[in-house]
Amino acid sequence: MIKNRIRVRLKSWDHRIIDEAAAKIIGAAVTTGAKVVGPIPLPTSRKLLVVATSPHTDKDAREHFEILTHRRLIDIFSASVKTIDSLQHLDLPAGVDINIKS
């Protein structure tokens, strides 16, 4: 079991924003001398919503919407205090959910 590992999970509805956030995290980790594995794309979850367009009549008239949730996984090995400090002060774009486990 590797003890000195930081696992970062990213989640977003926009794939461009999540890729930008992953690039910033990898850049900050590499400049401090840590080894980085990733970003590993995890399966995209797809949620379908069906809404009736008319409140009373026309039951067959419906609109379909979908929400795609993109996920990425980044592992940072041999992280130092400098690496953790640079990750805490990183300015990431809005709309990205970040989960960090050590």
Side-chain angles (χ1 to χ4, degrees):
M1 185 80 186
I2 300 171
K3 295 182 180 181
N4 196 6
R5 180 191 73 188
I6 299 173
R7 178 163 280 181
V8 181
R9 293 180 138 231
L10 302 173
K11 196 187 291 189
S12 177
W13 292 330
D14 190 1
H15 65 91
R16 293 171 296 209
I17 293 175
I18 198 169
D19 290 336
E20 179 184 337
K24 284 185 179 182
I25 290 172
I26 291 171
V30 169
T31 56
T32 58
K35 295 179 183 177
V36 178
V37 176
I40 302 167
L42 298 175
T44 302
S45 63
R46 181 177 173 224
K47 185 176 181 182
L48 293 174
L49 301 171
V50 179
V51 179
T53 57
S54 174
H56 300 294
T57 60
D58 297 328
K59 175 91 167 119
D60 295 334
R62 298 179 186 174
E63 287 183 302
H64 300 302
F65 301 99
E66 76 174 348
I67 298 173
L68 297 176
T69 305
H70 302 277
R71 297 180 297 166
R72 303 286 187 269
L73 178 70
I74 301 171
D75 283 334
I76 302 172
F77 295 103
S78 66
S80 64
V81 176
K82 196 175 186 182
T83 306
I84 296 169
D85 187 49
S86 68
L87 289 175
Q88 287 178 345
H89 293 86
L90 199 60
D91 186 29
L92 295 176
V96 178
D97 181 36
I98 301 167
N99 186 7
I100 299 174
K101 290 185 180 178
S102 57

